Amino acid sequence: MPLDHSDQKLIAPTREAAEAALRAFAPRMGKRYTNGRNYDRGPGLHGDVSMLSPYLRRRLLLEQDAIEIAVREHGAEAAEKFIQEVIWRGYFKGWMERRPIVWDQYREGLIRDLAAVDRDRGLRRRVAAAEAGQTGLDCFDSWAEELVDTGYLHNYARMWFASIWIFTLELPWRLGADFFFRHLLDGDPASNTLGWRWVAGLHTRGKPYHAQAWNIAKFTENRFNPRPAELAEVVEGLESEEPEGLPNVTPLRTLPVPNPDRPTAFLMTEEDCRLEDFDLSALNFVGYATLSASHLRSPLPVSSLVEEFEDGALRDTASRIAPDATGLRAGVPTDLSRWASRLGATQIATPYIPTGPLRDWMIEAKRDLEEAGIDLVEWRRDWDSAIWPYATAGFFKVKKQIPAILQKTGLL
Ligand SMILES: Cc1cc2nc3c(=O)[nH]c(=O)nc-3n(C[C@H](O)[C@H](O)[C@H](O)COP(=O)(O)OP(=O)(O)OC[C@H]3O[C@@H](n4cnc5c(N)ncnc54)[C@H](O)[C@@H]3O)c2cc1C
């Protein structure tokens, strides 16, 4: 079960619970975060980090809200580390928008890796043992269990886990990324795929992340004490798997403007659950639906915790916008045009759908929409537009722009 760190309550997938969690963490966003954020104290004890990621990922809580309260309570300098971490999220999202082919290659590679698992009994056994937390390596096994039981892992645990998966257990990195994506409540196509690529030395080329025994002992306060020989002692990044290097940066998608005269169907997805921020009064709405899509994260079954969280978040969103909204599930892509046609809509409006499984599905659905004369219109938040133009290389380029980004978005 996903636990709240302070009193082990279940995390509720609502805007109200998100805002309560934000207020509760606000006093810890300054010095305490700077000093304590690297410590993985274990399930139920992650009090030095916010655990806001399942909310931020779905925009039940906005990145701006988190930064605004951090600046208000502590000042931009004392809250610098927290602000930077929140901006990492936008950086990774923007980076993936600028190189969507990296997502396509991940998905294609994953299909090949899963086929190899089907063919190779030894590989199948090793992957199953890793996912079940039965490798015999205490720290790794405990993190696998925590991930499956709670849908959360501390950032350091994610780094150590991924590094051990790739370099000690020598398992294909995409299978590990898929295991995370199936279980993380905050599972995000950009942060997860690029987090794994970063550990593998594919993002910051030539700098793989090396999980070392002393580092694990120190930042788990000796909860885990692996012997150095139990972990890969030398790690070599996987750059040779991609000899052509990183693909070129592409322009951001241009978005058609919604036409106020057309009968419009409104679609709510977990990509943005704060719809009341948008003034849509000029549009002519003829119907509303929620679209659940968590099951698209992987060809394998996705954790029920993830599906339940998405389901709750969509119900909460609908309750604030259109309580009688139809509940759709992203199954056969033609279902979308059928629903919109039944309403007599010639336009579907929805907040921006970033690169990832839902966008892949939408690309398929769009073919039928076009045939039925229905346009899909999306819009981007100013927050994303402020960060994404800089997300073309390493994080440093975005980091340098943080004061300008905060000024532009009214936070400084
Ligand atoms: C291999 C790997 C996979 C990851 N997969 C995901 C994922 O699927 N979804 C996801 O949201 N994050 C992912 N992360 C990033 C990071 O681990 C989590 O965002 C963070 O641990 C969430 O916990 P928190 O809310 O307590 O973080 P806090 O430390 O409290 O940080 C506050 C917020 O900043 C953002 N943030 C912090 N660190 C990062 C980071 N390195 N990258 C992007 N955003 C960050 C998150 O939105 C987080 O909620 C991954 C990292 C690694 C190394």
Side-chain angles (χ1 to χ4, degrees), residues 268-289:
M268 303 175 238
T269 76
E270 68 168 351
E271 300 304 335
D272 198 320
C273 293
R274 266 277 291 270
L275 302 172
E276 54 272 52
D277 294 350
F278 306 115
D279 179 10
L280 302 169
S281 54
L283 294 183
N284 166 22
F285 286 115
V286 293
Y288 297 82

Side-chain angles (χ1 to χ4, degrees), residues 10 27 32 84 99 160 185 197 242 262 296 299 319 340 388:
L10 294 185
R32 179 159 169 195
Q84 279 173 12
R99 292 180 170 99
W160 293 318
L185 286 188
R197 286 177 60 84
E242 294 180 3
R262 293 172 69 174
L296 301 176
S319 74
W388 292 0

Side-chain angles (χ1 to χ4, degrees), residues 25 33 37 46 48-54 56-57 63 82 85-90 92 152-156 158-159 162 180-181 184 186-189 191-193 195-196 198-199:
F25 189 68
Y33 183 79
R37 72 194 175 98
H46 295 302
D48 289 334
V49 288
S50 70
M51 298 188 78
L52 292 174
S53 50
L56 291 168
R57 187 260 175 267
E63 287 110 309
F82 182 76
E85 291 308 311
V86 173
I87 300 257
W88 263 98
R89 170 171 176 71
F92 272 153
Y152 178 83
L153 275 188
H154 184 278
N155 182 51
Y156 257 49
R158 297 183 199 206
M159 284 158 41
F180 266 28
F181 206 22
L184 281 172
D186 64 24
D188 178 277
S191 289
N192 188 52
T193 313
W196 275 83
W198 179 83
V199 170

